[in-house]
Amino acid sequence: MINVMTEYDELKSYLDLLKQYYAKESGKREKIIEQLKENNEKIASIEKQQELLEQVNILLQKTSQFAREQAKVQVENLVTNCLEYIFENNTQFKIEINEAYKKQNAEFYVITNVDGEEIKTKPTESRGGGVVDIVSLALRISFLQIHRPFIEGPLILDEPAKHVSEEYIFNVANFLKKTSEMFNRQIIMVTHNNHLSAIGTNAYKVELKGTESIVEKLTFNL
């Protein structure tokens, strides 16, 4: 009888230990289930954020593409108008944007119509340096005007249109004057060309005599 009671007490004690262990492990299990639920909720929230970010990224790409296309059209139109005004012909300026190695690359072309046939060339290959000078000048003006935030201050030019022939230099002078008036932007220009000097509100001649620079205010009878 004593042995039976002893075994009973031992079994009861062991059963109590199992109950305690079960209660402890059940608590761990409940905590793990709760953590899993929280983690699943976090994962679901992250997935929603990721989906939203992907949609925003697509929207930004489309917006960027649209803005880039709009800027491209504006630049093309301004440079085309500049070329047509100065050279008095139907010359078009085109920008072709290609992607290589995840980078945008822009190529500039001048399109002229000769006997009903379109000739597409790069500015450096068109009509000597004159076209390059005018394209460069028009690009500077267009970039200043379409840049956001807007760039304040004057347009500073160093020997603009120095390769343009005298036949078209009057057109260049008129273009610069109209550009200044249209965009309400001051132009500060260094030039050796008297026709370009004559369009200025104020013009100064700087001569080097020995080691001294002599500045003389010019007046033009227009």
Side-chain angles (χ1 to χ4, degrees), residues 12-197:
K12 186 174 180 301
S13 177
Y14 181 69
L15 182 61
D16 290 339
L17 290 174
L18 287 176
K19 288 179 178 179
Q20 292 175 9
Y21 178 78
Y22 176 77
K24 183 178 178 182
E25 293 302 314
S26 294
K28 289 182 179 179
R29 179 178 177 274
E30 292 298 326
K31 189 172 183 179
I32 290 172
I33 291 174
E34 184 179 349
Q35 288 177 342
L36 282 174
K37 182 180 178 181
E38 291 177 358
N39 289 337
N40 287 333
E41 290 175 353
K42 288 180 180 179
I43 290 171
S45 176
I46 291 172
E47 287 176 346
K48 286 183 179 179
Q49 290 179 5
Q50 183 178 0
E51 183 180 355
L52 177 61
L53 289 174
E54 288 175 352
Q55 292 175 350
V56 170
N57 185 44
I58 292 172
L59 178 61
L60 288 175
Q61 288 178 354
K62 290 183 177 179
T63 304
S64 175
Q65 183 178 356
F66 176 76
R68 185 167 57 246
E69 184 62 29
Q70 289 294 103
K72 172 179 170 291
V73 171
Q74 289 180 339
V75 172
E76 286 178 336
N77 289 338
L78 194 148
V79 179
T80 294
N81 291 336
C82 179
L83 289 169
E84 289 180 342
Y85 182 86
I86 291 172
F87 294 116
E88 300 176 348
N89 59 17
N90 294 324
T91 303
Q92 287 185 299
F93 180 76
K94 289 294 179 184
I95 301 174
E96 293 185 1
I97 300 176
N98 302 306
E99 186 171 333
Y101 304 104
K102 295 184 179 180
K103 291 184 178 180
Q104 299 289 338
N105 181 49
E107 293 287 348
F108 300 154
Y109 293 97
V110 173
I111 300 174
T112 54
N113 193 304
V114 179
D115 298 328
E117 181 181 356
E118 284 192 349
I119 299 176
K120 178 181 174 183
T121 57
K122 291 189 175 182
T124 51
E125 301 168 358
S126 301
R127 208 173 188 159
V131 170
V132 175
D133 283 352
I134 299 307
V135 169
S136 175
L137 174 63
L139 284 174
R140 288 188 64 185
I141 295 170
S142 60
F143 289 154
L144 274 177
Q145 292 305 126
I146 68 174
H147 190 277
R148 295 294 179 271
F150 185 74
I151 299 175
E152 302 285 351
L155 172 63
I156 300 176
L157 303 174
D158 182 14
E159 294 291 352
K162 63 181 177 181
H163 294 110
V164 176
S165 66
E166 287 295 311
E167 178 185 359
Y168 302 107
I169 204 66
F170 286 102
N171 292 347
V172 175
N174 288 332
F175 173 77
L176 288 173
K177 188 173 182 179
K178 290 182 181 297
T179 296
S180 177
E181 295 170 351
M182 182 183 300
F183 297 125
N184 193 30
R185 189 182 290 274
Q186 183 186 34
I187 295 178
I188 300 174
M189 176 171 51
V190 177
T191 180
H192 286 88
N193 190 287
N194 290 331
H195 301 308
L196 295 182
S197 300

